[in-house]
Amino acid sequence: MSFSLKTREESIKFLKDHTVDVLIIGGGITGAGVAVQAAASGMSTALVEMQDFSEGTSSRSTKLVHGGIRYLKSFDVEVVADTVRERANVQKVAPHIPKPDPMLLPIYDDPNSTFSMFSLKIAMDLYDQLANVKGTDYENRVLTKEEVLEISPHLNADGLLGGGIYLDFRNNDSRLVIENIKQAQADGGHMLSRTKVIGFVYDDSDQINGVKVKDMITSEEYVIHAKVVINTTGPWSDTVRHMTKDKEVIDQMRPTKGVHLVVDREKLNVSQPTYFDTGLNDGRMVFVVPREDKTYFGTTDTDYEGDFSHPTVTSEDVSYLLKVVNNKFPERNLTIDDIEASWAGLRPLISGNGGSDYNGAASGNITDESLEKVIQSVDEYEIGTLTREGLEKSIHSVKTQAGDGTKSPSSVSRGSSLTRADDGLITLAGGKITDYRLMAEGALNMINSILSKEYGDDFVLIDSINYPVSGGHFDATNVEGAMKDYIELGVSKGLSEKEATYLAHLYGSNTKDVLSYEDVEFNGLTKAQSMALMYSLENEMTLTPVDYALRRTNYLLFMRDQLDAVKVALVEAMKEYYQWDDNQAQLYTTELTEKMSESSLDKLKTEG
Ligand code: FAD
């Protein structure tokens, strides 16, 4: 048993009596990334997350690891360069999670369209160049109108000019978080979910030397002492900064809400991820992504000021996305009744940074002519005849088509920020999942230097590009070969090929450990389902049925039909394992049922 309720109790006991080197607040991808690098570098490390791991934004993304081709139309070649390189690094450390999934980008005859056929080709070439995929099978392709319709026959043919295909990667956001958390725990860290920071403690010089926490399971409050405290709470990072004694904290976050909707594949069948302008002249773009037997689409991008722990999908969000998708797939006629699941998340955007773009609108696109100049500069930068400063200068001198300087939510920077306050609190916020390793690397340099200068500690930081997370301990250059071995192993234990394939892709090099639970049988669950659940209970800090159905697996989002069939058995199995009484089991059943109902928008459906 490596990471379970039992180890949680041991960690709490340890943390009450010891001062750790690093205490991380927030168990989304940012905190998890810092935890892995700190623990692996030999620092004694603790992480506290007030909900389940990844329950904040990091289980609510578009679930892509991408460089954001759209950035190329809004000045951010540097951002794209960094993120496409990081994408490759994420694939290296977690090879079982991000999988190549080329993106189709259809182009329509619309004066407001983000890309023309001409600028798309240039952007895709630049993208390939930055991603280093030129000359490989993943190199971009320009498509005629007929070719686009052959690939995606339900797309609106009206005004369609053609399109392109370029390399992108699918992701499993919450699995990436838990695999980082598990690795940090395996390397000696103390990773606590359902542990909320409610205040800070200080030394005699008013420097933060720990946090007050509340155990959200037992309601016990206690103190954890640490040499360095880092705030990685994403959208909550200002809230946490305001918990310090500093009364002059200036807010830096401007969170925006993004919504995704899921329908059955039979209702909307796309052969591959597809990315297009909304067609509503709002400068935004939307993804339609096939996953399991479902298709999801999103996202919206609206300012948000409600409860950060519980962003919800509104009827306006649904109308907007249905309008966009029905325009592009006119025969589909999707209605709210077709929606099987949904999710809403908050982008932890830093306000005040330079304009940038992600999935949404740009404050000013580059003209095609300028884009070509930028490409030339990148070429020169790549071959070493232009410096990074020269490249930046060239990028910043390009001409825009529009842009009055005011920022729509979509143009607030997707960049990250790393700061240290006078009281010693470090805050690392912003960025994207794709950038998490790089962001953590920056934080570790800062933490290491503090530990060295202020405490005389001497740590050697790991090479995080070559440090796999849990489940990623196999040859990243031969994912297919490794998967084949894990699948064969599953089949040899009596699983069907389909079940074995599912487990191999979910658990990577941990598949062997999952299969070691072959003798476990929970009533109403198949052998494969029993093994996976038992593995998760003992090794993934799965404490509730929702943890399992929503964040350790994707049952609630993309395997809804299967969840309907196993939900009673799932709660019963966990009741048996945790020895819950009937009341507790009933509470967890209600929680799961309410989550499912919220996700399938039952309330909005009945309100009409
Ligand atoms: P979070 O995941 O929110 O983690 C912060 C954690 O801190 C939370 O779990 C919270 O519970 C915890 N916390 C808060 N207060 C406390 C406290 N007092 N004590 C203890 N814990 C606390 N990025 C990509 O790379 N690819 C994409 O496709 C993509 N799509 C996106 C689509 C949408 C709609 C959104 C919203 C974001 C998307 N992103 C994407 C961005 C990405 O999801 C975020 O940048 C990333 O998940 C932020 O991670 P984080 O760890 O900083 O924040």
Side-chain angles (χ1 to χ4, degrees), residues 25-31 48-51 55-58 60-64 66 195-197 232-236 240 243 258 260 299 345-348 358 431-434:
I25 313 172
I29 193 63
T30 308
V48 288
E49 161 56 54
M50 69 177 176
Q51 314 182 80
E55 194 171 340
T57 306
S58 300
R60 300 158 184 263
S61 75
T62 306
K63 305 182 195 299
L64 299 169
H66 55 169
T195 303
K196 180 176 184 172
V197 168
T232 58
T233 53
W236 289 262
V240 168
M243 286 181 194
H260 293 85
T299 167
L346 299 180
R347 298 178 184 83
Y358 188 58
K432 301 198 298 170
I433 292 175
T434 316

mmCIF file of all heavy atoms in Angstrom, residues 25-31 48-51 55-58 60-64 66 195-197 232-236 240 243 258 260 299 345-348 358 431-434, ligand 1:
data_model
loop_
_atom_site.group_PDB
_atom_site.id
_atom_site.type_symbol
_atom_site.label_atom_id
_atom_site.label_comp_id
_atom_site.label_asym_id
_atom_site.label_seq_id
_atom_site.Cartn_x
_atom_site.Cartn_y
_atom_site.Cartn_z
ATOM 1 N N ILE A 25 1.361 24.758 -1.401
ATOM 2 C CA ILE A 25 -0.087 24.900 -1.173
ATOM 3 C C ILE A 25 -0.779 24.751 -2.524
ATOM 4 O O ILE A 25 -0.561 25.557 -3.432
ATOM 5 C CB ILE A 25 -0.455 26.279 -0.585
ATOM 6 C CG1 ILE A 25 0.471 26.645 0.567
ATOM 7 C CG2 ILE A 25 -1.917 26.305 -0.142
ATOM 8 C CD1 ILE A 25 0.282 28.088 1.058
ATOM 9 N N GLY A 26 -1.617 23.726 -2.680
ATOM 10 C CA GLY A 26 -2.349 23.534 -3.934
ATOM 11 C C GLY A 26 -1.866 22.314 -4.684
ATOM 12 O O GLY A 26 -0.678 22.214 -5.027
ATOM 13 N N GLY A 27 -2.789 21.364 -4.906
ATOM 14 C CA GLY A 27 -2.431 20.124 -5.601
ATOM 15 C C GLY A 27 -3.050 20.009 -6.966
ATOM 16 O O GLY A 27 -3.640 19.003 -7.329
ATOM 17 N N GLY A 28 -2.938 21.097 -7.754
ATOM 18 C CA GLY A 28 -3.229 21.020 -9.182
ATOM 19 C C GLY A 28 -1.922 20.677 -9.882
ATOM 20 O O GLY A 28 -0.938 20.271 -9.237
ATOM 21 N N ILE A 29 -1.873 20.881 -11.202
ATOM 22 C CA ILE A 29 -0.671 20.487 -11.929
ATOM 23 C C ILE A 29 0.541 21.334 -11.530
ATOM 24 O O ILE A 29 1.668 20.833 -11.485
ATOM 25 C CB ILE A 29 -0.901 20.537 -13.472
ATOM 26 C CG1 ILE A 29 0.220 19.833 -14.201
ATOM 27 C CG2 ILE A 29 -1.052 21.972 -13.976
ATOM 28 C CD1 ILE A 29 0.368 18.384 -13.942
ATOM 29 N N THR A 30 0.319 22.612 -11.186
ATOM 30 C CA THR A 30 1.458 23.467 -10.843
ATOM 31 C C THR A 30 2.123 22.961 -9.557
ATOM 32 O O THR A 30 3.348 22.776 -9.496
ATOM 33 C CB THR A 30 1.007 24.937 -10.683
ATOM 34 O OG1 THR A 30 0.276 25.314 -11.851
ATOM 35 C CG2 THR A 30 2.178 25.869 -10.512
ATOM 36 N N GLY A 31 1.316 22.712 -8.530
ATOM 37 C CA GLY A 31 1.857 22.220 -7.266
ATOM 38 C C GLY A 31 2.462 20.835 -7.417
ATOM 39 O O GLY A 31 3.534 20.539 -6.869
ATOM 40 N N VAL A 48 -0.141 20.369 0.354
ATOM 41 C CA VAL A 48 -1.499 20.300 0.902
ATOM 42 C C VAL A 48 -2.494 20.820 -0.129
ATOM 43 O O VAL A 48 -2.303 21.876 -0.726
ATOM 44 C CB VAL A 48 -1.639 21.083 2.227
ATOM 45 C CG1 VAL A 48 -0.919 20.357 3.347
ATOM 46 C CG2 VAL A 48 -1.153 22.511 2.104
ATOM 47 N N GLU A 49 -3.547 20.043 -0.337
ATOM 48 C CA GLU A 49 -4.592 20.375 -1.312
ATOM 49 C C GLU A 49 -5.930 20.334 -0.566
ATOM 50 O O GLU A 49 -6.245 19.349 0.088
ATOM 51 C CB GLU A 49 -4.561 19.351 -2.452
ATOM 52 C CG GLU A 49 -5.827 19.281 -3.298
ATOM 53 C CD GLU A 49 -6.241 20.618 -3.911
ATOM 54 O OE1 GLU A 49 -5.410 21.238 -4.596
ATOM 55 O OE2 GLU A 49 -7.406 21.040 -3.701
ATOM 56 N N MET A 50 -6.709 21.406 -0.673
ATOM 57 C CA MET A 50 -7.925 21.472 0.153
ATOM 58 C C MET A 50 -9.053 20.565 -0.349
ATOM 59 O O MET A 50 -9.950 20.210 0.407
ATOM 60 C CB MET A 50 -8.426 22.914 0.252
ATOM 61 C CG MET A 50 -8.977 23.498 -1.021
ATOM 62 S SD MET A 50 -9.595 25.170 -0.722
ATOM 63 C CE MET A 50 -10.064 25.657 -2.380
ATOM 64 N N GLN A 51 -9.015 20.202 -1.643
ATOM 65 C CA GLN A 51 -10.035 19.310 -2.186
ATOM 66 C C GLN A 51 -9.332 17.993 -2.546
ATOM 67 O O GLN A 51 -8.365 17.613 -1.924
ATOM 68 C CB GLN A 51 -10.684 19.933 -3.416
ATOM 69 C CG GLN A 51 -11.081 21.402 -3.251
ATOM 70 C CD GLN A 51 -11.759 21.965 -4.486
ATOM 71 O OE1 GLN A 51 -12.932 21.750 -4.716
ATOM 72 N NE2 GLN A 51 -10.998 22.686 -5.309
ATOM 73 N N GLU A 55 -8.723 18.741 -8.301
ATOM 74 C CA GLU A 55 -10.149 19.096 -8.326
ATOM 75 C C GLU A 55 -10.387 20.550 -8.731
ATOM 76 O O GLU A 55 -11.496 20.934 -9.110
ATOM 77 C CB GLU A 55 -10.794 18.809 -6.960
ATOM 78 C CG GLU A 55 -12.316 18.830 -7.025
ATOM 79 C CD GLU A 55 -13.001 18.337 -5.760
ATOM 80 O OE1 GLU A 55 -12.359 17.620 -4.964
ATOM 81 O OE2 GLU A 55 -14.192 18.661 -5.572
ATOM 82 N N GLY A 56 -9.355 21.385 -8.663
ATOM 83 C CA GLY A 56 -9.489 22.772 -9.120
ATOM 84 C C GLY A 56 -9.536 22.793 -10.643
ATOM 85 O O GLY A 56 -10.289 22.049 -11.263
ATOM 86 N N THR A 57 -8.672 23.624 -11.246
ATOM 87 C CA THR A 57 -8.708 23.759 -12.703
ATOM 88 C C THR A 57 -8.139 22.541 -13.418
ATOM 89 O O THR A 57 -8.539 22.230 -14.537
ATOM 90 C CB THR A 57 -7.875 24.990 -13.108
ATOM 91 O OG1 THR A 57 -8.363 26.106 -12.386
ATOM 92 C CG2 THR A 57 -7.970 25.263 -14.583
ATOM 93 N N SER A 58 -7.216 21.844 -12.762
ATOM 94 C CA SER A 58 -6.410 20.863 -13.489
ATOM 95 C C SER A 58 -7.134 19.579 -13.879
ATOM 96 O O SER A 58 -6.515 18.671 -14.427
ATOM 97 C CB SER A 58 -5.133 20.549 -12.709
ATOM 98 O OG SER A 58 -4.379 21.712 -12.533
ATOM 99 N N ARG A 60 -10.162 20.224 -15.409
ATOM 100 C CA ARG A 60 -11.267 20.872 -16.130
ATOM 101 C C ARG A 60 -10.805 21.585 -17.394
ATOM 102 O O ARG A 60 -11.417 22.548 -17.837
ATOM 103 C CB ARG A 60 -11.936 21.891 -15.199
ATOM 104 C CG ARG A 60 -12.513 21.274 -13.920
ATOM 105 C CD ARG A 60 -12.645 22.349 -12.859
ATOM 106 N NE ARG A 60 -13.109 21.842 -11.568
ATOM 107 C CZ ARG A 60 -14.374 21.880 -11.151
ATOM 108 N NH1 ARG A 60 -15.294 22.400 -11.920
ATOM 109 N NH2 ARG A 60 -14.698 21.410 -9.975
ATOM 110 N N SER A 61 -9.678 21.139 -17.938
ATOM 111 C CA SER A 61 -9.132 21.823 -19.120
ATOM 112 C C SER A 61 -9.732 21.246 -20.391
ATOM 113 O O SER A 61 -10.598 20.382 -20.351
ATOM 114 C CB SER A 61 -7.608 21.662 -19.140
ATOM 115 O OG SER A 61 -7.256 20.351 -19.540
ATOM 116 N N THR A 62 -9.232 21.687 -21.537
ATOM 117 C CA THR A 62 -9.681 21.125 -22.819
ATOM 118 C C THR A 62 -9.041 19.755 -23.052
ATOM 119 O O THR A 62 -9.359 19.058 -23.990
ATOM 120 C CB THR A 62 -9.352 22.106 -23.978
ATOM 121 O OG1 THR A 62 -9.915 23.378 -23.668
ATOM 122 C CG2 THR A 62 -9.915 21.661 -25.307
ATOM 123 N N LYS A 63 -8.127 19.394 -22.185
ATOM 124 C CA LYS A 63 -7.473 18.081 -22.202
ATOM 125 C C LYS A 63 -6.617 17.887 -23.464
ATOM 126 O O LYS A 63 -6.670 16.859 -24.133
ATOM 127 C CB LYS A 63 -8.494 16.945 -22.020
ATOM 128 C CG LYS A 63 -9.314 17.138 -20.742
ATOM 129 C CD LYS A 63 -10.294 16.044 -20.457
ATOM 130 C CE LYS A 63 -11.323 16.443 -19.401
ATOM 131 N NZ LYS A 63 -10.784 16.770 -18.085
ATOM 132 N N LEU A 64 -5.868 18.958 -23.788
ATOM 133 C CA LEU A 64 -4.892 18.898 -24.880
ATOM 134 C C LEU A 64 -3.558 19.395 -24.338
ATOM 135 O O LEU A 64 -3.529 20.272 -23.482
ATOM 136 C CB LEU A 64 -5.320 19.801 -26.034
ATOM 137 C CG LEU A 64 -6.657 19.479 -26.714
ATOM 138 C CD1 LEU A 64 -7.063 20.613 -27.649
ATOM 139 C CD2 LEU A 64 -6.567 18.174 -27.495
ATOM 140 N N HIS A 66 -0.861 21.292 -25.889
ATOM 141 C CA HIS A 66 -0.600 21.901 -27.189
ATOM 142 C C HIS A 66 0.162 23.209 -27.095
ATOM 143 O O HIS A 66 0.230 23.842 -26.059
ATOM 144 C CB HIS A 66 -1.881 22.083 -27.988
ATOM 145 C CG HIS A 66 -2.943 22.867 -27.272
ATOM 146 N ND1 HIS A 66 -4.061 23.318 -27.901
ATOM 147 C CD2 HIS A 66 -3.055 23.259 -25.997
ATOM 148 C CE1 HIS A 66 -4.816 23.955 -27.032
ATOM 149 N NE2 HIS A 66 -4.249 23.931 -25.884
ATOM 150 N N THR A 195 -6.813 18.928 2.713
ATOM 151 C CA THR A 195 -6.102 19.633 3.783
ATOM 152 C C THR A 195 -5.971 21.089 3.347
ATOM 153 O O THR A 195 -5.259 21.392 2.395
ATOM 154 C CB THR A 195 -4.706 19.002 4.011
ATOM 155 O OG1 THR A 195 -4.892 17.611 4.309
ATOM 156 C CG2 THR A 195 -3.961 19.679 5.130
ATOM 157 N N LYS A 196 -6.697 21.954 4.051
ATOM 158 C CA LYS A 196 -6.804 23.339 3.578
ATOM 159 C C LYS A 196 -5.934 24.286 4.399
ATOM 160 O O LYS A 196 -5.959 24.233 5.634
ATOM 161 C CB LYS A 196 -8.271 23.767 3.699
ATOM 162 C CG LYS A 196 -8.542 25.179 3.253
ATOM 163 C CD LYS A 196 -10.021 25.498 3.314
ATOM 164 C CE LYS A 196 -10.250 26.901 2.772
ATOM 165 N NZ LYS A 196 -11.653 27.214 2.620
ATOM 166 N N VAL A 197 -5.197 25.141 3.704
ATOM 167 C CA VAL A 197 -4.446 26.186 4.410
ATOM 168 C C VAL A 197 -5.434 27.256 4.852
ATOM 169 O O VAL A 197 -6.192 27.791 4.043
ATOM 170 C CB VAL A 197 -3.348 26.782 3.497
ATOM 171 C CG1 VAL A 197 -2.776 28.057 4.113
ATOM 172 C CG2 VAL A 197 -2.240 25.761 3.287
ATOM 173 N N THR A 232 0.755 27.613 -4.926
ATOM 174 C CA THR A 232 0.473 27.212 -6.317
ATOM 175 C C THR A 232 -1.030 26.933 -6.436
ATOM 176 O O THR A 232 -1.438 25.873 -6.878
ATOM 177 C CB THR A 232 1.255 25.943 -6.710
ATOM 178 O OG1 THR A 232 0.909 24.881 -5.791
ATOM 179 C CG2 THR A 232 2.742 26.148 -6.690
ATOM 180 N N THR A 233 -1.828 27.898 -5.993
ATOM 181 C CA THR A 233 -3.265 27.643 -5.915
ATOM 182 C C THR A 233 -4.047 28.194 -7.117
ATOM 183 O O THR A 233 -5.263 28.386 -7.027
ATOM 184 C CB THR A 233 -3.850 28.198 -4.593
ATOM 185 O OG1 THR A 233 -3.482 29.579 -4.473
ATOM 186 C CG2 THR A 233 -3.348 27.433 -3.394
ATOM 187 N N GLY A 234 -3.374 28.439 -8.220
ATOM 188 C CA GLY A 234 -4.065 28.803 -9.460
ATOM 189 C C GLY A 234 -5.045 29.945 -9.245
ATOM 190 O O GLY A 234 -4.667 31.019 -8.748
ATOM 191 N N PRO A 235 -6.319 29.734 -9.579
ATOM 192 C CA PRO A 235 -7.295 30.818 -9.453
ATOM 193 C C PRO A 235 -7.398 31.372 -8.030
ATOM 194 O O PRO A 235 -7.817 32.502 -7.831
ATOM 195 C CB PRO A 235 -8.622 30.151 -9.839
ATOM 196 C CG PRO A 235 -8.260 28.925 -10.587
ATOM 197 C CD PRO A 235 -6.903 28.498 -10.116
ATOM 198 N N TRP A 236 -7.034 30.553 -7.035
ATOM 199 C CA TRP A 236 -7.142 30.980 -5.633
ATOM 200 C C TRP A 236 -5.883 31.706 -5.165
ATOM 201 O O TRP A 236 -5.779 32.042 -3.982
ATOM 202 C CB TRP A 236 -7.314 29.772 -4.713
ATOM 203 C CG TRP A 236 -8.608 29.055 -4.772
ATOM 204 C CD1 TRP A 236 -9.672 29.213 -3.927
ATOM 205 C CD2 TRP A 236 -8.988 28.007 -5.678
ATOM 206 N NE1 TRP A 236 -10.682 28.332 -4.274
ATOM 207 C CE2 TRP A 236 -10.288 27.589 -5.343
ATOM 208 C CE3 TRP A 236 -8.362 27.388 -6.757
ATOM 209 C CZ2 TRP A 236 -10.963 26.576 -6.031
ATOM 210 C CZ3 TRP A 236 -9.026 26.397 -7.444
ATOM 211 C CH2 TRP A 236 -10.317 25.997 -7.087
ATOM 212 N N VAL A 240 -5.150 33.205 -1.261
ATOM 213 C CA VAL A 240 -4.129 32.712 -0.333
ATOM 214 C C VAL A 240 -3.159 33.838 0.038
ATOM 215 O O VAL A 240 -2.768 33.983 1.203
ATOM 216 C CB VAL A 240 -3.404 31.486 -0.940
ATOM 217 C CG1 VAL A 240 -2.153 31.133 -0.159
ATOM 218 C CG2 VAL A 240 -4.357 30.298 -1.001
ATOM 219 N N MET A 243 -4.304 35.886 2.808
ATOM 220 C CA MET A 243 -4.293 35.283 4.156
ATOM 221 C C MET A 243 -3.039 35.676 4.931
ATOM 222 O O MET A 243 -2.927 35.388 6.115
ATOM 223 C CB MET A 243 -4.303 33.751 4.052
ATOM 224 C CG MET A 243 -5.600 33.147 3.649
ATOM 225 S SD MET A 243 -5.341 31.342 3.624
ATOM 226 C CE MET A 243 -6.790 30.843 2.740
ATOM 227 N N GLY A 258 -14.297 28.582 -18.466
ATOM 228 C CA GLY A 258 -14.401 27.847 -19.731
ATOM 229 C C GLY A 258 -15.256 26.613 -19.543
ATOM 230 O O GLY A 258 -15.106 25.905 -18.552
ATOM 231 N N HIS A 260 -17.075 23.005 -21.253
ATOM 232 C CA HIS A 260 -17.079 21.971 -22.295
ATOM 233 C C HIS A 260 -18.325 21.117 -22.159
ATOM 234 O O HIS A 260 -18.780 20.859 -21.037
ATOM 235 C CB HIS A 260 -15.845 21.064 -22.153
ATOM 236 C CG HIS A 260 -14.563 21.767 -22.427
ATOM 237 N ND1 HIS A 260 -13.900 22.488 -21.473
ATOM 238 C CD2 HIS A 260 -13.822 21.860 -23.552
ATOM 239 C CE1 HIS A 260 -12.805 23.007 -22.000
ATOM 240 N NE2 HIS A 260 -12.729 22.632 -23.267
ATOM 241 N N THR A 299 -14.219 25.797 -26.010
ATOM 242 C CA THR A 299 -14.699 26.207 -24.736
ATOM 243 C C THR A 299 -15.255 27.618 -24.825
ATOM 244 O O THR A 299 -14.977 28.336 -25.791
ATOM 245 C CB THR A 299 -13.566 26.143 -23.686
ATOM 246 O OG1 THR A 299 -13.933 26.812 -22.490
ATOM 247 C CG2 THR A 299 -12.307 26.707 -24.195
ATOM 248 N N GLY A 345 -14.433 25.112 -15.874
ATOM 249 C CA GLY A 345 -13.185 25.357 -15.133
ATOM 250 C C GLY A 345 -12.799 26.820 -15.211
ATOM 251 O O GLY A 345 -13.318 27.568 -16.053
ATOM 252 N N LEU A 346 -11.892 27.222 -14.326
ATOM 253 C CA LEU A 346 -11.446 28.620 -14.290
ATOM 254 C C LEU A 346 -9.995 28.725 -14.722
ATOM 255 O O LEU A 346 -9.119 28.110 -14.102
ATOM 256 C CB LEU A 346 -11.579 29.176 -12.870
ATOM 257 C CG LEU A 346 -12.987 29.188 -12.294
ATOM 258 C CD1 LEU A 346 -12.960 29.761 -10.885
ATOM 259 C CD2 LEU A 346 -13.932 29.983 -13.179
ATOM 260 N N ARG A 347 -9.747 29.500 -15.751
ATOM 261 C CA ARG A 347 -8.358 29.696 -16.180
ATOM 262 C C ARG A 347 -7.660 30.612 -15.179
ATOM 263 O O ARG A 347 -8.160 31.714 -14.912
ATOM 264 C CB ARG A 347 -8.311 30.357 -17.554
ATOM 265 C CG ARG A 347 -8.927 29.554 -18.643
ATOM 266 C CD ARG A 347 -8.873 30.302 -19.981
ATOM 267 N NE ARG A 347 -9.567 29.531 -20.991
ATOM 268 C CZ ARG A 347 -10.873 29.558 -21.174
ATOM 269 N NH1 ARG A 347 -11.633 30.338 -20.424
ATOM 270 N NH2 ARG A 347 -11.443 28.826 -22.104
ATOM 271 N N PRO A 348 -6.516 30.189 -14.675
ATOM 272 C CA PRO A 348 -5.815 31.058 -13.718
ATOM 273 C C PRO A 348 -5.001 32.105 -14.470
ATOM 274 O O PRO A 348 -3.780 32.037 -14.533
ATOM 275 C CB PRO A 348 -4.907 30.082 -12.966
ATOM 276 C CG PRO A 348 -4.676 28.961 -13.931
ATOM 277 C CD PRO A 348 -5.816 28.914 -14.898
ATOM 278 N N TYR A 358 -5.130 32.139 -26.383
ATOM 279 C CA TYR A 358 -5.095 30.709 -26.079
ATOM 280 C C TYR A 358 -6.115 30.021 -26.976
ATOM 281 O O TYR A 358 -5.833 29.692 -28.100
ATOM 282 C CB TYR A 358 -5.384 30.538 -24.591
ATOM 283 C CG TYR A 358 -5.185 29.148 -24.134
ATOM 284 C CD1 TYR A 358 -3.960 28.534 -24.295
ATOM 285 C CD2 TYR A 358 -6.227 28.452 -23.551
ATOM 286 C CE1 TYR A 358 -3.772 27.238 -23.877
ATOM 287 C CE2 TYR A 358 -6.039 27.163 -23.123
ATOM 288 C CZ TYR A 358 -4.816 26.557 -23.294
ATOM 289 O OH TYR A 358 -4.648 25.292 -22.878
ATOM 290 N N GLY A 431 0.108 30.267 -16.545
ATOM 291 C CA GLY A 431 0.647 29.220 -17.413
ATOM 292 C C GLY A 431 -0.422 28.260 -17.884
ATOM 293 O O GLY A 431 -1.621 28.548 -17.839
ATOM 294 N N LYS A 432 0.045 27.126 -18.371
ATOM 295 C CA LYS A 432 -0.860 26.090 -18.885
ATOM 296 C C LYS A 432 -0.342 24.750 -18.370
ATOM 297 O O LYS A 432 0.805 24.646 -17.949
ATOM 298 C CB LYS A 432 -0.796 26.042 -20.416
ATOM 299 C CG LYS A 432 -1.152 27.322 -21.099
ATOM 300 C CD LYS A 432 -1.486 27.083 -22.563
ATOM 301 C CE LYS A 432 -0.313 26.518 -23.348
ATOM 302 N NZ LYS A 432 -0.707 26.083 -24.687
ATOM 303 N N ILE A 433 -1.158 23.740 -18.484
ATOM 304 C CA ILE A 433 -0.703 22.411 -18.084
ATOM 305 C C ILE A 433 0.561 22.063 -18.866
ATOM 306 O O ILE A 433 1.538 21.544 -18.325
ATOM 307 C CB ILE A 433 -1.808 21.374 -18.335
ATOM 308 C CG1 ILE A 433 -2.966 21.628 -17.363
ATOM 309 C CG2 ILE A 433 -1.268 19.951 -18.173
ATOM 310 C CD1 ILE A 433 -4.175 20.773 -17.572
ATOM 311 N N THR A 434 0.532 22.379 -20.149
ATOM 312 C CA THR A 434 1.661 22.073 -21.027
ATOM 313 C C THR A 434 2.988 22.609 -20.476
ATOM 314 O O THR A 434 4.038 22.015 -20.671
ATOM 315 C CB THR A 434 1.384 22.659 -22.430
ATOM 316 O OG1 THR A 434 0.041 22.372 -22.785
ATOM 317 C CG2 THR A 434 2.331 22.118 -23.465
HETATM 318 P P1 FAD B 1 -5.425 24.455 -10.104
HETATM 319 O O1 FAD B 1 -5.514 23.228 -10.898
HETATM 320 O O2 FAD B 1 -6.676 25.233 -9.934
HETATM 321 O O3 FAD B 1 -4.860 24.038 -8.692
HETATM 322 C C1 FAD B 1 -4.881 24.895 -7.576
HETATM 323 C C2 FAD B 1 -5.322 24.073 -6.386
HETATM 324 O O4 FAD B 1 -5.160 24.828 -5.194
HETATM 325 C C3 FAD B 1 -6.795 23.678 -6.447
HETATM 326 O O5 FAD B 1 -6.910 22.271 -6.584
HETATM 327 C C4 FAD B 1 -7.363 24.194 -5.143
HETATM 328 O O6 FAD B 1 -8.309 23.322 -4.548
HETATM 329 C C5 FAD B 1 -6.118 24.356 -4.280
HETATM 330 N N1 FAD B 1 -6.284 25.342 -3.203
HETATM 331 C C6 FAD B 1 -6.828 26.572 -3.288
HETATM 332 N N2 FAD B 1 -6.820 27.180 -2.085
HETATM 333 C C7 FAD B 1 -6.225 26.315 -1.220
HETATM 334 C C8 FAD B 1 -5.951 26.370 0.169
HETATM 335 N N3 FAD B 1 -6.283 27.431 0.919
HETATM 336 N N4 FAD B 1 -5.362 25.298 0.751
HETATM 337 C C9 FAD B 1 -5.034 24.195 0.014
HETATM 338 N N5 FAD B 1 -5.298 24.090 -1.311
HETATM 339 C C10 FAD B 1 -5.885 25.153 -1.922
HETATM 340 N N6 FAD B 1 -3.907 24.027 -20.375
HETATM 341 C C11 FAD B 1 -3.335 23.196 -21.272
HETATM 342 O O7 FAD B 1 -2.131 22.996 -21.236
HETATM 343 N N7 FAD B 1 -4.067 22.572 -22.246
HETATM 344 C C12 FAD B 1 -5.404 22.774 -22.378
HETATM 345 O O8 FAD B 1 -6.043 22.158 -23.230
HETATM 346 C C13 FAD B 1 -6.030 23.672 -21.493
HETATM 347 N N8 FAD B 1 -7.339 23.947 -21.614
HETATM 348 C C14 FAD B 1 -7.963 24.699 -20.674
HETATM 349 C C15 FAD B 1 -9.339 24.906 -20.777
HETATM 350 C C16 FAD B 1 -10.024 25.557 -19.759
HETATM 351 C C17 FAD B 1 -11.501 25.754 -19.858
HETATM 352 C C18 FAD B 1 -9.319 26.007 -18.617
HETATM 353 C C19 FAD B 1 -10.072 26.611 -17.493
HETATM 354 C C20 FAD B 1 -7.947 25.879 -18.537
HETATM 355 C C21 FAD B 1 -7.256 25.226 -19.574
HETATM 356 N N9 FAD B 1 -5.868 25.058 -19.536
HETATM 357 C C22 FAD B 1 -5.242 24.264 -20.447
HETATM 358 C C23 FAD B 1 -5.075 25.701 -18.484
HETATM 359 C C24 FAD B 1 -4.794 24.741 -17.334
HETATM 360 O O9 FAD B 1 -5.892 23.923 -17.058
HETATM 361 C C25 FAD B 1 -4.403 25.520 -16.086
HETATM 362 O O10 FAD B 1 -3.412 26.450 -16.415
HETATM 363 C C26 FAD B 1 -3.856 24.609 -14.995
HETATM 364 O O11 FAD B 1 -4.698 23.516 -14.768
HETATM 365 C C27 FAD B 1 -3.685 25.398 -13.692
HETATM 366 O O12 FAD B 1 -3.185 24.549 -12.725
HETATM 367 P P2 FAD B 1 -2.887 25.069 -11.258
HETATM 368 O O13 FAD B 1 -2.301 23.929 -10.523
HETATM 369 O O14 FAD B 1 -2.098 26.317 -11.306
HETATM 370 O O15 FAD B 1 -4.311 25.457 -10.665
#
